[in-house]
């Protein structure tokens, strides 16, 4: 993780524990409780990671989740809502992420809107460096793990989407009628059939 820290400018990456939830397994002697930690990490300027780790102890789970979050750091593409003035501040286009039943949609918003979102995606969007964004969520958003993963998937989709400004220039060619106009203008002379002698 020290190499990852160096890669993204030292200690710029800030981590935040989203939730620690106990999960249980039924055994002959009763239940065995472990702790599942969800950790988000970001530099508030175009990078975000999400880590999930389960362990017998809370501290170990958090430590493991932080390491996994650092390993899953992705770049975030930001764009504009309207005129391209100043620095990019919102999502470049409408993007969607899904995990389980939870579907999260991020919609570009004008400057000054802020993050119109539920607390969980708000933390992730803020860490990713978005200033303005509308969100829409459907499904069982109370399942925090899936809600966070769906938001992370939506943020990751910003670079996966090919926007028109990234299209390669189209080279238009003449239509076949235009290209072969000289040949087509000639009068058509029917060739006499050659007799084939057997």
């Amino acid at each position: 993780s020290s190499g990852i820290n160096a890669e993204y400018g030292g200690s710029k990456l800030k981590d935040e524990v989203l939730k620690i939830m106990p999960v249980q397994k039924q055994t002959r002697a009763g239940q065995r409780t472990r702790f599942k930690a969800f950790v988000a990490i970001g530099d508030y300027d175009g990078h975000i990671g999400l880590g999930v780790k389960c362990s017998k102890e809370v501290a170990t789970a958090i430590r493991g989740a932080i390491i996994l979050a650092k390993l899953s750091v992705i770049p975030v593409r930001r764009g504009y809502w309207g005129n391209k003035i100043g620095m990019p501040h919102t999502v470049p286009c409408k993007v969607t992420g899904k995990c389980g039943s939870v579907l999260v949609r991020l919609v570009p918003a004008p400057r000054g809107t802020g993050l119109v979102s539920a607390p969980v995606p708000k933390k992730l969007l803020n860490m990713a460096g978005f200033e303005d964004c509308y969100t829409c969520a459907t499904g069982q958003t109370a399942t925090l793990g899936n809600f966070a993963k769906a938001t992370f998937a939506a943020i990751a989709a910003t670079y996966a989407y090919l926007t028109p400004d990234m299209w390669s220039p189209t080279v238009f060619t003449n239509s076949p009628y235009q290209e072969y106009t000289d040949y087509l203008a000639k009068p058509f002379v029917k060739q006499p059939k050659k007799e084939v002698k057997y």
Side-chain angles (χ1 to χ4, degrees):
S1 72
S2 57
I4 292 165
N5 274 345
E7 184 82 27
Y8 295 106
S11 59
K12 271 189 199 167
L13 286 174
K14 301 273 188 296
D15 53 62
E16 191 171 336
V17 179
L18 298 176
K19 189 178 185 182
I20 292 161
M21 59 184 275
V23 290
Q24 291 182 325
K25 179 185 176 182
Q26 194 70 30
T27 60
R28 273 165 53 202
Q31 296 98 354
R32 189 196 64 188
T33 306
R34 289 161 84 200
F35 297 97
K36 195 175 184 181
F38 297 93
V39 171
I41 195 162
D43 60 358
Y44 296 87
D45 189 26
H47 294 95
I48 181 123
L50 183 68
V52 183
K53 179 73 178 163
C54 202
S55 180
K56 282 184 206 169
E57 292 168 22
V58 175
T60 321
I62 291 171
R63 204 176 310 124
I66 288 169
I67 290 166
L68 288 172
K70 283 179 181 174
L71 290 171
S72 74
V73 167
I74 54 162
V76 177
R77 184 170 179 219
R78 289 167 292 177
Y80 300 92
W81 173 79
N83 284 350
K84 294 176 173 55
I85 301 168
M87 295 299 284
H89 60 100
T90 184
V91 281
C93 55
K94 292 174 188 174
V95 283
T96 312
K98 194 168 189 291
C99 181
S101 73
V102 184
L103 184 138
V104 174
R105 187 178 192 223
L106 308 179
V107 180
R111 270 188 209 278
T113 307
L115 299 170
V116 183
S117 163
V120 175
K122 198 171 198 168
K123 276 181 189 168
L124 290 166
L125 291 166
N126 189 24
M127 280 187 161
F130 292 112
E131 291 160 39
D132 314 286
C133 188
Y134 292 127
T135 63
C136 161
T138 58
Q140 192 69 28
T141 53
T143 313
L144 189 139
N146 286 358
F147 202 9
K149 281 181 182 174
T151 311
F152 185 69
I155 293 169
T158 55
Y159 259 124
Y161 191 86
L162 182 66
T163 49
D165 58 346
M166 293 163 79
W167 290 353
S168 57
T170 311
V171 180
F172 293 104
T173 56
N174 291 336
S175 72
Y177 291 122
Q178 186 79 42
E179 201 169 326
Y180 301 108
T181 185
D182 297 337
Y183 174 76
L184 294 169
K186 286 177 187 170
F188 179 69
V189 181
K190 199 171 183 187
Q191 298 294 328
K193 250 188 177 177
K194 285 179 182 172
E195 283 184 25
V196 180
K197 289 178 181 174
Y198 296 103

